[in-house]
Amino acid sequence: MASAEGLEPSRTRKNSNKNIIARIRHGHITGRGICRGTEALLKERDHKAQWHGIPVLLRRLYDKSHLNSDLSQIYFIIKEVSSFLSMEAMSFVTEDRKPAQESTYPNTYTFDLFGGVDVSLQPVDTVTIILLSHQLSDDLVKDCLSVLYNCCICMEGVTKSLASRDDFVMFLFTLMSNKKTFLQTATLIEDILGVRKEMIQLEDIPNLPSLVQSFNQQQLANFCRILSVTISEPDMGNDDKNTLLAKNAQQRANPFVVKFNLALLNIPGFIERLCKLATRKVSEASGASSLLLELQDWYTWLDNAPVLDALMQMAAEDAEHKAQNPHESSLAASPLRHRLPQSMKIVHEIMFKVEVLYVLCVLLVGRQRNQVHRMLAEFKLIPGLNNLFDKLIWRKQTSTHVLHSQNQNCDCSPEISFKIQFLRLLQSFSDHHENKYLLLNAQELNELSAISLKANIPEVEALVNTDRNLICDGKKGLLTRLISVMKKEPPDSSFRFWQARAVESFLRGTTSYADQVFLLKRGLLEHILFCIIDSGCKSRDVLQSYFDLLGELMKFNMDAFKKFNRYVNSDEKFQTFMTQINSSLVDSNMLVRCIILSLDRFEGQTEDMRVVEVLSECRLLSYMARVENRLTFLFRLVNIINVQTLTQENVSCLNTSLVVLMLARRRGTLPFYLNALREKEYAEKYPGCLLNNFHNLLRFWQRHYLNKDKDSTCLENSSCIPFTYWKETVSVLLGSDRTSLCAIASYIDEAYMDLGKDFLEV
């Protein structure tokens, strides 16, 4: 153990350093007119404190940063400072971004301690004001930006400080117009916006349309990466932020997404160029799969895409240099270009596409969705993606691969991100939109027509109106390719979640018998049942996506229920299936809703002997036909949610419980169900709790779904129940007349009325 005497000199040295730093912060050392003794003092302390001359360099830089300065002197000072910081920044990237400490990154720590960030901003401003066209100006700006970026990498406090300066952020966007400083500027902007609390307003960026139009395709892809950072919601670490109550309040207060979409759509040619980027073929060099595999060792430190951008730009500059100097030896002229593996170029292209697809997803879910759809169809995004599909590599993923949320920021490898964004785009494109038939080729469209003809039902209008010049070409359409890949995926692969979501989106909306049969003929139902019953899949997210897809595939379709009964051909299998459903009703309630809706329709068609046969033979329909089973589901659905915990994931439980009661109201049995809820309360010895909770949920439902910004057509299309009937039923249930047998209030004793009423006062 060290003695007290041994520790004392170190403590004294630190106190002395603090005195000098305090003098600096009070203006005694930085600034013009500083006495020459200051530099001498810094030099005296430099060796003992191991500052490597950084404070002296910063003082000189401060003195030189004015309009009449010799820019060459500023340039060489910045270069020297940059050399101290760059190696620490690279070390930080390659060592999994450890927290910055004085002992870990001493040069960066010293630079920040002596006000280096503010000092470095001054020459950038100075050079920009002078607007010199000389090469020195560009190099100086690039080096200033590199210094700031290196500090941002190692010290989050520096990044947050820069992010809080709106004027500086806007200034950076103006620098993007300079091709020679573009990459350094884009890299710094990306890091700054990643920690910024407030979203950047695109309409505040000076001359945004002309700026974006000036970008080449590679720069446009970089800009998409900046956009993806801008619109990605940070992880707040608080589930309350994801509740519908919180989201409704946020949407009322923040019109950002609307402005964001409008700002981009007003840029001439923007969507067309994104489509070209998204569908541009990845390198078709042979052995691409093995080349990607060789990258595994350096994925861990090339997680920052701008690093790869820099390498690719250096390679391009080497190639340009070689073209201009053909007599130089190839080794001397372009060493980097010859060392870059083809696999790095492939991954660079994939990284671009991840950001482009993400921006397209955002545009597809905005209020201008129909306008975006028309443009994506016109510019043949879907046929281009179909041609690209076979170039994707669907490798086996381990069960530890984390499922992705709607926030696309993640640490996964580029090709995994690429495939997930690809699937998310298909989901957004197909969901409740007639352009979904662009995912098929001509032969598959003809197959749909033949299915309708054989069933003696009219073709879906959207199918008839599909422009065959814009559909997929080749032997298979995009949807068929997706199903083929999906059936080969390992049971617990997280890709199954996104694959199922993409296929389900094709079926969502008004139920189409032909669409269902098209997928049934490709063995999709048997595949889903295998995954739920026999595969041993444990992922709740994957199972939820399969339950939802199964519901859409079977809804109102007798053929699907027959196939179900043929696969689930024993009591043991049926029990396993029901155990999966009951293990998490939040995950499976959409399937329960589809079964209940189908049962109701089939029971109204008993003059058809085929329907009678299905009702009598199908285990699933027989199970749901028993009223005690429907009541059990209703009890659980109402009990597992409340207003404060409603999210986009579990609000479907509320709508499923409403479907049960709407169908009961149609049949005149609504009082029976409400009384059963009351009896359940008393049996469980918590009178008033269940019904008051349901009453509060329905009051929230009115606020949420009757908002003019909410699209209620999805409820109507998915249930085949007019939305007016939804509204009427909710109004009847919320009626204040305690003599009405259809009002919830009639079943709550007066002493227990209005329990939890304050929950809605938000």
Side-chain angles (χ1 to χ4, degrees), residues 471-500:
I471 62 175
C472 295
D473 51 14
K475 295 181 178 179
K476 294 181 180 179
L478 199 48
L479 180 64
T480 302
R481 293 181 191 276
L482 174 58
I483 293 171
S484 298
V485 168
M486 179 179 174
K487 292 167 68 175
K488 298 175 184 177
E489 203 66 33
D492 276 322
S493 167
S494 64
F495 289 131
R496 283 193 175 280
F497 172 82
W498 295 106
Q499 290 163 347

Side-chain angles (χ1 to χ4, degrees), residues 523-672:
L524 186 59
L525 185 137
E526 291 85 355
H527 169 70
I528 296 171
L529 291 175
F530 170 80
C531 292
I532 294 174
I533 299 173
D534 300 316
S535 71
C537 176
K538 302 299 182 184
S539 167
R540 296 310 314 174
D541 294 287
V542 171
L543 287 171
Q544 180 192 18
S545 66
Y546 273 69
F547 284 135
D548 292 350
L549 175 54
L550 185 61
E552 292 296 331
L553 191 60
M554 296 179 65
K555 186 167 53 181
F556 308 135
N557 193 308
M558 284 191 299
D559 296 332
F561 279 94
K562 287 180 180 179
K563 282 180 174 287
F564 175 92
N565 217 43
R566 282 197 291 270
Y567 189 93
V568 185
N569 54 11
S570 67
D571 291 339
E572 182 182 359
K573 276 194 170 183
F574 182 72
Q575 187 58 48
T576 302
F577 181 76
M578 293 308 302
T579 299
Q580 290 280 47
I581 285 181
N582 286 306
S583 63
S584 178
L585 202 52
V586 171
D587 297 331
S588 62
N589 83 89
M590 292 292 289
L591 173 60
V592 172
R593 186 193 308 181
C594 291
I595 299 168
I596 292 173
L597 285 166
S598 300
L599 174 66
D600 181 75
R601 175 173 292 190
F602 294 157
E603 287 179 339
Q605 300 173 341
T606 51
E607 70 281 357
D608 188 335
M609 292 308 298
R610 294 178 304 162
V611 174
V612 174
E613 181 184 350
V614 170
L615 286 172
S616 62
E617 293 181 359
C618 180
R619 287 181 172 84
L620 192 55
L621 291 173
S622 298
Y623 180 88
M624 201 60 73
R626 293 195 284 273
V627 67
E628 63 271 19
N629 291 332
R630 293 202 298 276
L631 281 172
T632 299
F633 280 122
L634 179 62
F635 297 150
R636 293 181 59 199
L637 288 167
V638 174
N639 205 35
I640 60 179
I641 52 175
N642 60 58
V643 171
Q644 299 290 39
T645 60
L646 274 181
T647 66
Q648 201 64 48
E649 290 299 313
N650 62 28
V651 71
S652 57
C653 293
L654 174 56
N655 289 322
T656 299
S657 65
L658 258 177
V659 166
V660 174
L661 295 180
M662 282 190 295
L663 298 180
R665 182 178 171 227
R666 274 184 178 177
R667 295 176 177 239
T669 58
L670 181 55
F672 170 81

Side-chain angles (χ1 to χ4, degrees), residues 418-560:
F418 184 28
K419 285 183 280 190
I420 290 174
Q421 289 301 334
F422 180 92
L423 294 169
R424 290 181 65 188
L425 179 68
L426 293 189
Q427 177 188 358
S428 300
F429 187 86
S430 300
D431 193 22
H432 289 88
H433 203 281
E434 59 186 17
N435 274 355
K436 68 180 184 179
Y437 291 110
L438 297 181
L439 272 64
L440 309 181
N441 64 14
Q443 183 179 352
E444 292 162 348
L445 290 178
N446 292 338
E447 183 181 343
L448 283 176
S449 300
I451 293 171
S452 298
L453 181 63
K454 183 178 179 180
N456 196 27
I457 57 176
E459 289 186 72
V460 176
E461 184 178 357
L463 175 62
V464 176
N465 294 335
T466 297
D467 186 345
R468 297 202 171 206
N469 293 316
L470 305 177
I471 62 175
C472 295
D473 51 14
K475 295 181 178 179
K476 294 181 180 179
L478 199 48
L479 180 64
T480 302
R481 293 181 191 276
L482 174 58
I483 293 171
S484 298
V485 168
M486 179 179 174
K487 292 167 68 175
K488 298 175 184 177
E489 203 66 33
D492 276 322
S493 167
S494 64
F495 289 131
R496 283 193 175 280
F497 172 82
W498 295 106
Q499 290 163 347
R501 283 281 177 258
V503 177
E504 183 209 348
S505 69
F506 181 82
L507 291 171
R508 291 182 70 187
T510 304
T511 303
S512 167
Y513 173 80
D515 293 352
Q516 291 173 323
V517 173
F518 179 84
L519 297 178
L520 289 172
K521 290 171 66 175
R522 283 154 177 78
L524 186 59
L525 185 137
E526 291 85 355
H527 169 70
I528 296 171
L529 291 175
F530 170 80
C531 292
I532 294 174
I533 299 173
D534 300 316
S535 71
C537 176
K538 302 299 182 184
S539 167
R540 296 310 314 174
D541 294 287
V542 171
L543 287 171
Q544 180 192 18
S545 66
Y546 273 69
F547 284 135
D548 292 350
L549 175 54
L550 185 61
E552 292 296 331
L553 191 60
M554 296 179 65
K555 186 167 53 181
F556 308 135
N557 193 308
M558 284 191 299
D559 296 332

Side-chain angles (χ1 to χ4, degrees), residues 199-219:
M199 291 184 177
I200 192 74
Q201 301 295 323
L202 294 184
E203 64 271 20
D204 292 341
I205 299 175
N207 304 313
L208 177 65
S210 58
L211 175 66
V212 175
Q213 285 182 288
S214 71
F215 295 157
N216 60 33
Q217 287 296 80
Q218 179 169 324
Q219 290 168 337

